């Protein structure tokens, strides 16, 4: 049996004044996830995050504005692959508007994430527990 491919991404956590997390759903998918994406050749994870934020949501931040939360690996949401995701906390600088491949935006009350089948594993296993102050991931393996 062939080993699943690995996808490396940067994911961003943008919180509104009520502490809700911004989620996106890409065109042709049913799963909500954080904004972000795959790096271009030579990009650092924070550079990827700043570029993807501009492309997907029309928001401008500098790579130095992002605060590293961690790097995790686990199942990808929309592909049969292993996801390695570097996750940053990102300031919300303006009203996000869906662009590029983003079909829908949603705001998640962190306390409502449990049991939702339409959320990416990265969110439910790592990001939401971290933002809620829980200790450690529910499943998978933390890389750093």
């Amino acid at each position: 049996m062939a080993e699943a491919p690995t996808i490396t991404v940067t994911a961003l956590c943008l919180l509104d004044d009520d502490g809700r997390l911004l989620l996106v759903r890409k065109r042709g998918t049913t799963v909500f996830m954080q904004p972000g994406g795959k790096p271009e050749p030579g990009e650092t994870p924070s550079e990827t995050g700043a570029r993807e934020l501009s492309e997907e949501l029309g928001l401008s931040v500098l790579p130095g504005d992002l605060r590293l939360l961690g790097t995790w690996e686990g199942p990808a949401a929309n592909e049969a692959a292993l996801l390695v995701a570097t996750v940053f906390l990102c300031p919300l600088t303006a009203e996000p508007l869906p662009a590029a491949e983003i079909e829908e935006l949603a705001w998640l009350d962190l306390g409502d994430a449990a049991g939702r089948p339409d959320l990416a594993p990265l969110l439910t296993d790592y990001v939401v527990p971290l933002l809620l102050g829980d200790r450690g991931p529910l499943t998978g393996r933390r890389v750093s």
Side-chain angles (χ1 to χ4, degrees):
M1 182 182 295
E3 206 173 296
T6 298
I7 300 171
T8 300
V9 300
T10 292
L12 303 168
C13 295
L14 293 93
L15 299 166
D16 70 4
D17 291 339
D18 295 323
R20 298 177 305 165
L21 181 65
L22 178 64
L23 302 180
V24 299
R25 185 178 57 76
K26 295 183 179 189
R27 194 171 293 108
T29 68
T30 58
V31 176
F32 284 91
M33 60 188 58
Q34 300 153 261
K38 299 172 187 167
E40 296 289 333
E43 276 185 333
T44 66
S46 59
E47 290 168 341
T48 300
R51 177 185 50 77
E52 288 283 347
L53 194 66
S54 175
E55 292 174 2
E56 293 183 348
L57 300 173
L59 300 176
S60 294
V61 297
L62 298 172
D65 294 336
L66 306 180
R67 191 181 77 173
L68 181 64
L69 294 178
T71 300
W72 292 273
E73 66 178 45
N78 295 312
E79 301 176 54
L82 175 68
L83 183 73
V84 176
T86 301
V87 182
F88 292 94
L89 189 60
C90 177
L92 182 61
T93 58
E95 184 69 26
L97 299 171
E101 72 272 17
I102 303 305
E103 186 165 342
E104 185 178 358
L105 303 179
W107 291 98
L108 174 68
D109 181 322
L110 297 174
D112 294 339
R116 278 191 52 179
D118 65 339
L119 299 180
L122 175 68
L123 276 168
T124 57
D125 293 349
Y126 303 106
V127 174
V128 170
L130 177 72
L131 293 174
L132 287 172
D134 293 345
R135 296 283 182 231
L138 303 178
T139 63
R141 182 169 76 91
R142 185 171 179 155
V143 178
S144 66

